[in-house]
Amino acid sequence: MRAVVAAVTAFALGSRWRVFASTLVVTFLLGSLWALATPISGGPDESGHVMKAAASARGQWVGEDTGKPGLERFLLPADVADVGGEITCFAFDSNRTAACAPSLDDKPDTLTWVESGAGSYNPVYYVAVGWPTLFLHGEVAVFAMRALTALITAFFLACVAFAISLLPVANRWFPLAAFSVAATPMVFFLGGIVNPNGAEVSGTAAFVALLWVALSTGVPLRAHRETVVLAAIALVVVANLRATSPLYLAIAGALVAFAHGWGPLKSFFSRRWTTVVVVIALVGAVGGVVWTLTIGANAGFIPSSGIERDGRLVAFLHTLDSTPAYLQQAIAVFGWLDTRMPDYIYLLWALLMGGIAFVSLGFSRSVRTVVATAAACVVYVALPAVIQAPTVATVGYIWQGRYSLPLLVMALLIAGLGLTASGRDDFGTRGRRFLVFIVSTAVVVQVVSFLLALKRYVAGQDSSLEQLFAEGTWSPPVAWGLLVVAFALVFVVFGALLVALARRRYPSEAVLAGETSGPDAAEPRYAGGVERSARGARNTQ
């Protein structure tokens, strides 16, 4: 068995683009399994996002005014867009199974008015996932949209793995540990429903990792160019997802640039082609800012049902005080914030995050990376309060943990990558053991969370495992037992790939170590705006 696993991982990690492809396939499968395990409209506000996607695919990029704050309406076929109302009968009641919901397949294809809180959101994501509704109908249309969301999310997660694979093998273990912790159960859940949050979180992670590597030296020049292009793609896509996305990207870019210092940043922009790519990407990102400021300024501001309408100072302090709740939601609170996990799930994941922070802040030799990591943690805590406080007096408290999940992922990845930039490569076996422990724990928590979330929809959250076999429960498209087994197996594979990647040595690394024979010996390398080969050739542009 060990020989089979070794052969599979060796093939999957045979080149850095195989790392990308393998991670893409595995994480896509994980998102797709979440898609199958979640009933229609079972994700947070998913019904509104399904409506918006179906409308955007039909050219209805902005809905009609309903006279209700934050809500707009679309005229759409009922069998692809009438996913609210009785279909969400299980929302907010964790002991009511999804068996109460009628099938979307029973809806007619006649046009009907539907109301969405995402009516004025930027249509980029919704056009990308909504087009299957033009020829598919019923529940299969929603599952197709979920599959496309899972593919987008997987693409960006694969970019993170690709970026980490470009680091020297001695420096790879800690970023991989941080990556496995940053990819919380909520990340994969959001990647399996119709909601731009999953793409925003994974895209922010990709932008951080790719930009970090793009500003680093010693990367093969061709890989460096690929990294810059991928980072530009992440920038453009994420900036056009949600209203806060451009702000998150700006903070991420500033912190990564600060961690590297002025020298690498100046060298990065000294290359003409790099500057051109950056300018093009910024133009695309500005499009997202313009949309938010002109069309989607009030999108999604639906007044909360709570009676609290506090002033700015009280709202700011209350939001800060809610940070632990937001953190739990970012880890694993599924459904419409109605499916909590046992306390040990949050405790274990908090310990994993604490371990990443402790090692990064305690063992880094770079003041800049320590400051960047600490600043990212402060931003995660403070920025939600800054954003929410001005609007509480009119709409109440509407912030959720998933909104700041990109900031959490950003902080963890900066912590992980920061240790590598500080020159610490002397952990050896201890580092690999740390990675194995982190990944193993993460796999267990992910599988348990998947099982408990599925149990909530099949038999109710407070039900026993034996009640999963009772009659009258909700039945997902694939038998729940097969879904759990498949999810466990795929996540074990994902964990094994991460651990194996920490030990995988690529030919170009031998060149960096001083071995000048072989086809990689003369490969140009990025060295601060100057192309340098391993033999010392200097080629300026």
Side-chain angles (χ1 to χ4, degrees), residues 45-300:
D45 303 323
E46 186 178 26
S47 55
H49 294 295
V50 168
M51 299 170 191
K52 170 69 173 180
S56 297
R58 290 165 171 78
Q60 302 178 48
W61 289 3
V62 179
E64 294 186 12
D65 184 31
T66 63
K68 305 173 186 177
L71 289 175
E72 298 177 47
R73 67 175 189 169
F74 298 103
L75 186 62
L76 299 167
D79 60 352
V80 296
D82 192 8
V83 290
E86 58 187 359
I87 289 185
T88 61
C89 58
F90 51 83
F92 308 115
D93 185 353
S94 61
N95 285 310
R96 189 173 190 184
T97 74
C100 68
S103 174
L104 186 60
D105 295 336
D106 297 332
K107 297 278 187 178
D109 59 0
T110 55
L111 296 178
T112 185
W113 287 104
V114 294
E115 295 183 353
S116 170
S120 294
Y121 282 12
N122 192 309
V124 169
Y125 161 80
Y126 299 99
V127 171
V129 303
W131 57 267
T133 64
L134 297 175
F135 55 89
L136 297 176
H137 307 279
E139 295 187 358
V140 67
V142 176
F143 285 120
M145 288 191 284
R146 286 178 170 182
L148 289 172
T149 302
L151 183 61
I152 296 171
T153 302
F155 172 83
F156 287 127
L157 292 176
C159 286
V160 177
F162 174 80
I164 295 176
S165 73
L166 291 168
L167 299 172
V169 66
N171 290 337
R172 237 179 263 156
W173 63 274
F174 195 59
L176 287 169
F179 178 34
S180 65
V181 177
T184 67
M186 196 66 178
V187 171
F188 291 102
F189 170 71
L190 291 172
I193 62 174
V194 183
N195 192 312
N197 264 146
E200 180 192 34
V201 174
S202 60
T204 302
F207 178 72
V208 170
L210 291 164
L211 181 61
W212 191 285
V213 172
L215 291 176
S216 304
T217 60
V219 178
L221 185 59
R222 184 176 62 180
H224 179 265
R225 288 173 175 167
E226 295 164 348
T227 301
V228 172
V229 171
L230 289 174
I233 293 173
L235 176 65
V236 173
V237 173
V238 176
N240 285 275
L241 291 178
R242 300 184 68 251
T244 53
S245 299
L247 176 60
Y248 292 169
L249 291 169
I251 294 172
L255 291 177
V256 171
F258 174 82
H260 282 79
W262 173 247
L265 190 64
K266 181 180 178 181
S267 299
F268 178 80
F269 283 105
S270 68
R271 308 185 69 85
R272 189 182 308 111
W273 73 270
T274 303
T275 303
V276 171
V277 172
V278 171
V279 169
I280 293 174
L282 288 176
V283 170
V286 167
V289 177
V290 171
W291 180 281
T292 297
L293 295 178
T294 57
I295 299 176
N298 297 316

Side-chain angles (χ1 to χ4, degrees), residues 178-431:
F179 178 34
S180 65
V181 177
T184 67
M186 196 66 178
V187 171
F188 291 102
F189 170 71
L190 291 172
I193 62 174
V194 183
N195 192 312
N197 264 146
E200 180 192 34
V201 174
S202 60
T204 302
F207 178 72
V208 170
L210 291 164
L211 181 61
W212 191 285
V213 172
L215 291 176
S216 304
T217 60
V219 178
L221 185 59
R222 184 176 62 180
H224 179 265
R225 288 173 175 167
E226 295 164 348
T227 301
V228 172
V229 171
L230 289 174
I233 293 173
L235 176 65
V236 173
V237 173
V238 176
N240 285 275
L241 291 178
R242 300 184 68 251
T244 53
S245 299
L247 176 60
Y248 292 169
L249 291 169
I251 294 172
L255 291 177
V256 171
F258 174 82
H260 282 79
W262 173 247
L265 190 64
K266 181 180 178 181
S267 299
F268 178 80
F269 283 105
S270 68
R271 308 185 69 85
R272 189 182 308 111
W273 73 270
T274 303
T275 303
V276 171
V277 172
V278 171
V279 169
I280 293 174
L282 288 176
V283 170
V286 167
V289 177
V290 171
W291 180 281
T292 297
L293 295 178
T294 57
I295 299 176
N298 297 316
F301 283 93
I302 303 174
S304 69
S305 57
I307 62 173
E308 300 90 348
R309 295 295 186 269
D310 297 323
R312 292 193 178 192
L313 179 58
V314 174
F316 182 86
L317 296 176
H318 178 80
T319 305
L320 289 180
D321 189 56
S322 301
T323 299
Y326 297 147
L327 183 59
Q328 290 184 353
Q329 294 171 11
I331 295 172
V333 179
F334 306 113
W336 293 67
L337 297 183
D338 53 26
T339 308
R340 286 180 51 82
M341 295 293 100
D343 289 341
Y344 66 81
I345 293 292
Y346 305 115
L347 177 61
L348 282 174
W349 210 271
L351 290 174
L352 296 182
M353 291 189 294
I356 297 297
F358 173 77
V359 174
S360 179
L361 297 175
F363 291 91
S364 177
R365 294 170 177 165
S366 168
V367 175
R368 282 185 171 274
T369 58
V370 169
V371 172
T373 300
C377 295
V378 171
V379 167
Y380 172 72
V381 174
L383 190 59
V386 173
I387 295 175
Q388 178 167 240
T391 63
V392 169
T394 54
V395 300
Y397 293 97
I398 60 175
W399 195 268
Q400 299 179 25
R402 61 189 173 94
Y403 299 158
S404 48
L405 183 51
L407 298 175
L408 178 63
V409 169
M410 177 198 313
L412 288 167
L413 285 179
I414 289 177
L417 293 162
L419 189 64
T420 68
S422 69
R424 291 300 300 259
D425 58 0
D426 54 344
F427 289 92
T429 303
R430 291 175 298 166

